[in-house]
Amino acid sequence: MRAAEETHWWYRGLHDQVRRAVALCREDVGRPLRILDAGCGTGKVVSLLAAGGDAVTGLDLSATALSLTGRRGPSALVRASAAALPFADAAFDTVLSLDVLANLPPAALPAALADCRRVLVPGGRLILNIVAYQALYSEHDRAVGVVRRYTRGQIARLLDGAGFAPERLTYANTVLFPAALVRLWRKRPRPGRTPHSDLALPPAAVNAALTRVRVIENILTMDFGLPLPVGLSIFAVARAPRRTPPRPNHQPRM
């Protein structure tokens, strides 16, 4: 993962989408953000956002991942589970959850999203990426610990249940969706066989072309707010509720 996320079209496309989503959040706040990358992996997103001036905290359960993140440059790193965030209430302006929540049992997602909301300031945003369509569950998913894939409707209901209001909610990697049907047949899980990830860098020209396609999708979904109808992933930018005004203490006159 550490090597692939530098050049692989899938990572480069996701990172471009995250940068555009964070830019929307930053424009609204008008200052650098306090960002939590909850499940930061080997730290490419942490380094990208920190280079833009934001104060980024990386959290991961893997000591190896945090060690690799630390090699990218100085940053605040915390070893903990993304399902139980060890931070005070309202500690961050933005929380990222990039391909993490699908590794939790479905029953654990409401509590995990509620915890993301807890550590956000009122009106803060959650940026979420998660794999789509359980019918596409593959050997690669087993290898990387995915428990379940989701539909946009399911994610919309989960966000609503946690009190989030989606500002962007779309499928991603739409152009490659037809190829997923072939992938489904070739890479479906088979009992008794050790699963292996199918992550590999394609030829340079193919890699560049797929990156450009994903960037075009990102412009449509993030810059213009046009949701895509199908895709291999679901991407969301959702706002936490703003603080409600306090109720008056006085009793009405009779």
Side-chain angles (χ1 to χ4, degrees):
M1 183 185 295
R2 172 66 171 80
E5 67 180 350
E6 296 294 334
T7 54
H8 195 285
W9 67 268
W10 189 92
Y11 285 107
R12 291 176 68 186
L14 176 61
H15 298 162
D16 176 77
Q17 193 167 26
V18 169
R19 282 196 298 264
R20 293 175 189 275
V22 169
L24 294 173
C25 302
R26 195 183 298 116
E27 288 170 10
D28 185 51
V29 174
R31 57 169 172 77
L33 301 172
R34 296 169 299 161
I35 299 176
L36 171 64
D37 188 353
C40 63
T42 60
K44 183 63 175 179
V45 170
V46 171
S47 64
L48 286 172
L49 298 180
D54 296 305
V56 188
T57 298
L59 175 144
D60 206 282
L61 196 57
S62 167
T64 302
L66 293 177
S67 175
L68 291 167
T69 299
R71 295 178 194 176
R72 296 183 182 276
S75 54
L77 301 176
V78 177
R79 187 179 183 190
S81 170
L85 302 175
F87 302 104
D89 295 359
F92 299 98
D93 302 301
T94 304
V95 172
L96 308 181
S97 177
L98 306 177
D99 295 294
V100 174
L101 294 184
N103 291 50
L104 299 177
L109 261 66
L113 289 170
D115 211 27
C116 290
R117 174 185 163 183
R118 178 186 64 80
V119 302
L120 280 168
V121 298
R125 270 106 165 181
L126 171 67
I127 297 174
L128 172 70
N129 196 71
I130 195 166
V131 288
Y133 296 117
Q134 181 63 15
L136 298 180
Y137 192 87
S138 70
E139 184 175 311
H140 171 80
D141 291 324
R142 284 185 59 205
V144 300
V146 169
V147 176
R148 183 174 177 81
R149 302 173 74 97
Y150 292 86
T151 66
R152 185 172 62 185
Q154 288 170 328
I155 295 302
R157 288 189 290 274
L158 284 164
L159 290 171
D160 180 68
F164 285 102
E167 297 177 324
R168 301 284 192 276
L169 181 55
T170 180
Y171 286 103
N173 285 319
T174 296
V175 171
L176 288 178
F177 186 75
L181 301 178
V182 177
R183 177 178 180 267
L184 172 63
W185 174 253
R186 294 178 55 196
K187 300 294 184 179
R188 66 193 187 282
R190 296 178 183 176
R193 185 172 69 180
T194 302
H196 296 282
S197 169
D198 59 4
L199 182 65
L201 188 66
V206 175
N207 193 60
L210 292 175
T211 302
R212 284 195 294 271
V213 167
R214 180 66 191 273
V215 169
I216 291 170
E217 288 187 3
N218 296 342
I219 292 171
L220 293 175
T221 58
M222 295 296 104
D223 298 1
F224 292 100
L226 301 175
L228 300 176
V230 294
L232 302 181
S233 302
I234 301 159
F235 192 91
V237 181
R239 185 189 284 272
R242 298 183 184 274
R243 183 180 287 113
T244 55
R247 294 182 179 180
N249 257 340
H250 67 273
Q251 295 293 325
R253 293 181 180 180
M254 300 300 291

